[in-house]
Amino acid sequence: MYFINDVASELSLSIDEIRMILMDVRPDWESCDRINDAEYVLIKQSAQAALPSGNTSITPVSPEQMPLDQQEQLVNNASQVLGFPLAIAVLQEIRMVEALQTAKNHAVLSVIRAKREELNQELDKQAETDEQGFIAIIQQITNSIPATAFVTTQKMQKQADTANSQIAALLKDIEARSLGKAQ
């Protein structure tokens, strides 16, 4: 962090000029008393580019330090405040960095999508393999049950049906007798 007073002295600018350069970049531009490293670097490069013998190349800072659109706004503000036209190459360089960042993001997203698709295909294959394995196990269990168990089950069902029929007949008989007594 740099104090605006110190930066103003170092660059031979007024505090108001520095604050005007920060307009549209920081919400507290009218009252701030400090600037961060990225703002300092861009303001310093802009001030040096404004000198008659100045170097007109302004190198963008890392997008992690300051978003590229804010860098462009700060450099445009500096150009207006300091009264010099920035070389178009400076703004083009900022736009190239932004385009490169966008291209990198698209490439990363493309790789992520491809890897997700590969993962989904592998998961589908594994699910199909698991399903086939479960079916094979169920078939093995079914085949291992002896046929006598089925016959026994049929016998038990017939016995239950016979017992139910006898009980039903007895109940009808009891019902008929109780209706006969009631009359």
Side-chain angles (χ1 to χ4, degrees):
M1 293 295 265
Y2 296 87
F3 286 103
I4 287 184
N5 294 337
D6 297 338
V7 175
S9 297
E10 177 187 343
L11 301 177
S12 300
L13 297 173
S14 72
I15 293 171
D16 288 336
E17 287 175 323
I18 292 175
R19 287 182 175 156
M20 292 296 287
I21 291 170
L22 295 171
M23 184 174 33
D24 302 322
V25 176
R26 287 184 48 170
D28 65 339
W29 66 273
E30 291 177 296
S31 61
C32 67
D33 60 348
R34 295 178 190 183
I35 59 174
N36 63 37
D37 293 343
E39 293 164 341
Y40 172 76
V41 167
L42 292 172
I43 291 172
K44 183 176 180 178
Q45 288 181 20
S46 297
Q48 290 171 345
L51 297 173
S53 63
N55 177 7
T56 58
S57 74
I58 296 175
T59 307
V61 296
S62 166
E64 288 80 31
Q65 290 180 297
M66 176 186 278
L68 292 169
D69 60 330
Q70 286 185 355
Q71 291 184 50
E72 186 175 354
Q73 185 63 52
L74 191 140
V75 171
N76 279 332
N77 289 352
S79 175
Q80 292 174 7
V81 168
L82 301 174
F84 73 99
L86 281 177
I88 293 176
V90 172
L91 295 176
Q92 285 177 337
E93 187 174 345
I94 289 174
R95 289 186 184 114
M96 285 186 337
V97 169
E98 186 175 31
L100 179 63
Q101 191 73 24
T102 301
K104 279 178 27 181
N105 289 344
H106 285 295
V108 167
L109 289 174
S110 178
V111 169
I112 289 171
R113 279 189 213 105
K115 291 297 179 185
R116 277 188 183 159
E117 183 60 31
E118 287 176 25
L119 177 62
N120 287 339
Q121 288 174 358
E122 284 299 317
L123 290 173
D124 287 344
K125 285 179 186 176
Q126 186 62 45
E128 189 175 308
T129 302
D130 290 348
E131 182 179 338
Q132 290 172 355
F134 290 139
I135 289 172
I137 289 171
I138 291 171
Q139 286 174 342
Q140 286 176 354
I141 292 171
T142 304
N143 293 339
S144 69
I145 297 174
T148 58
F150 181 69
V151 172
T152 304
T153 306
Q154 285 181 329
K155 285 181 184 179
M156 290 174 66
Q157 185 65 45
K158 283 182 183 179
Q159 289 173 349
D161 289 343
T162 303
N164 286 339
S165 295
Q166 290 172 354
I167 292 172
L170 290 172
L171 288 174
K172 277 187 182 181
D173 188 41
I174 293 171
E175 186 181 331
R177 286 185 199 168
S178 39
L179 286 177
K181 287 183 182 178
Q183 293 178 353

